[in-house]
Each structure stands twice: as structure tokens, then as C-alpha cells.
Amino acid sequence: MADEFSIVDTRESFVSLVEGRELTRFGIRLNVTPSGEIVGRAFGSAVTGQWDWDGRYFCRDLFYGDEDLGPNCQLVQVNGNTLRFTSDRGAGIYADLRLR
């Protein structure tokens, strides 16, 4: 089925998807590096942060401009060139970003 997302459950799988690519969504452009950095822009403000992998989750600590968004571990799923990040270890809200 074309609408099904698969869980990305290892750091290696995640890095293979994002390495050398940009994550985009309306007003958002991010690079997530294999070394654990997050850099980019969202709606005219800088986005910076760090990430690591914990078990089956992408765990990030993020700043949007001067605002500290704090840490959050997220379930990552993939469907083609779309990555879905669901906050609170898969129990919260999700955001879909395109791989470019």
C-alpha cells in the first residue's frame, strides 16, 4: 500500500536516509548530520540542535531562534521520500518532512 509508513528503528537506517539530504516542509529546511548536529532555518529563524539515537527513537534537543524547544524522543517512520517524526516516543503529534 502506497500510504503505509515503515518504522525506522536503527541509527544506521536513519543516517542512511538523511545523510547528504535536506529535510523540508513549507517554511522549513533542515540538515541532520551523521555526527549528531541539526542545522537549518524555519520561517526565517535559525534552527540548531543536537540529536542521538536511543533504542528505537530519534532524540533531539532543539533551538528555534532563541527559543529552547527542549529535548524530545521521537518515533521516525518513512514512506518513500517522506519522513514522519512523532513526538513523545510515538504518542504525540507528528510532522512529515520531505527528503530532498
Side-chain angles (χ1 to χ4, degrees), residues 5-71:
F5 280 83
S6 300
I7 294 174
V8 178
D9 59 2
T10 67
R11 184 184 201 287
E12 293 76 21
S13 297
F14 178 75
V15 167
S16 74
L17 290 166
V18 300
E19 188 169 19
R21 300 177 83 184
E22 191 172 50
L23 292 171
T24 65
R25 182 177 166 148
F26 177 77
I28 301 171
R29 293 179 117 36
L30 300 173
N31 288 301
V32 179
T33 70
S35 64
E37 291 181 277
I38 302 169
V39 293
R41 297 195 67 76
F43 302 100
S45 293
V47 175
T48 58
Q50 300 292 316
W51 74 274
D52 203 352
W53 199 264
D54 181 19
R56 294 176 38 141
Y57 301 99
F58 169 84
C59 296
R60 58 90 176 135
D61 200 358
L62 204 60
F63 285 84
Y64 170 59
D66 292 332
E67 185 179 351
D68 184 352
L69 300 181

Side-chain angles (χ1 to χ4, degrees), residues 52-93:
D52 203 352
W53 199 264
D54 181 19
R56 294 176 38 141
Y57 301 99
F58 169 84
C59 296
R60 58 90 176 135
D61 200 358
L62 204 60
F63 285 84
Y64 170 59
D66 292 332
E67 185 179 351
D68 184 352
L69 300 181
N72 194 277
C73 289
Q74 304 177 354
L75 176 69
V76 179
Q77 296 170 283
V78 62
N79 180 0
N81 284 325
T82 301
L83 282 185
R84 175 170 287 173
F85 293 84
T86 306
S87 65
D88 304 326
R89 297 184 181 268
I93 61 172

